[in-house]
Amino acid sequence: EVMSYLTAGFAATKGTTYDGQYLFATDHTADGGGLGSSQDNVTNEQLDSAALVTGVQAMMGFTDDQGEKLDLFPDLLVVGPSKWDAARALVSQRILATGEENRNFQLVDLLVSPRITDGKWFLMDTKQAVRPVILQIRQPAEFQALDSMDDLHAFMQKTFLYGADC
């Protein structure tokens, strides 16, 4: 479900944000403090080294409604299967095909989701309190096991059972 908010973030199918804009827009406004500044969280650039660096720099420049820096630094790159190979080469290979050292090596972690099918890519800062998407865990996972030779199932069928309730 979280990925559907990313892919639908360019239209109002899942609602709009605090300023009435789509989740991803070129003109988000921060009107508090009378600043009225506009911030852009969209790029049409293809995923490459320059676009990644530009995206990181743009996120580092985001401000709150008082004009204060949000101290964001992206740590996750999310792509679909069509961008997987390019993204892997961009952030997971120490040496480029040219023989040069990759300046973006391990700059961010990589997450590939088959739900992203349109070639878009997303940068996220998952370490900060301010996030565009919140995953709510309603009940922590509780692991259970029937793994004792005293259990009837283990005795009768010589197999052990494990499960999780969440």
Side-chain angles (χ1 to χ4, degrees), residues 18-80:
Y18 66 95
D19 61 356
Q21 301 290 332
Y22 305 145
L23 178 60
F24 301 108
T26 58
D27 57 352
H28 279 291
T29 57
D31 289 329
L35 295 176
S37 61
S38 178
Q39 299 186 102
D40 179 352
N41 67 349
V42 177
T43 183
N44 291 322
E45 299 293 322
Q46 290 296 316
L47 181 59
D48 62 15
S49 180
L52 181 65
V53 169
T54 299
V56 169
Q57 290 171 337
M59 283 186 70
M60 291 173 64
F62 288 165
T63 59
D64 65 10
D65 63 347
Q66 301 298 312
E68 295 292 323
K69 297 283 185 195
L70 291 174
D71 295 327
L72 298 176
F73 191 90
D75 62 330
L76 183 64
L77 174 62
V78 182
V79 299

Side-chain angles (χ1 to χ4, degrees), residues 66-122:
Q66 301 298 312
E68 295 292 323
K69 297 283 185 195
L70 291 174
D71 295 327
L72 298 176
F73 191 90
D75 62 330
L76 183 64
L77 174 62
V78 182
V79 299
S82 67
K83 295 286 183 193
W84 170 75
D85 194 46
R88 185 178 54 84
L90 191 57
V91 299
S92 300
Q93 291 181 344
R94 184 180 303 272
I95 304 298
L96 299 172
T98 60
E100 298 175 68
E101 186 173 342
N102 183 0
R103 294 179 24 214
N104 298 317
F105 176 65
Q106 294 183 336
L107 176 67
V108 293
D109 292 329
L110 178 61
L111 174 66
V112 180
S113 172
R115 294 184 180 268
I116 300 173
T117 59
D118 54 9
K120 290 185 172 54
W121 53 279
F122 304 89

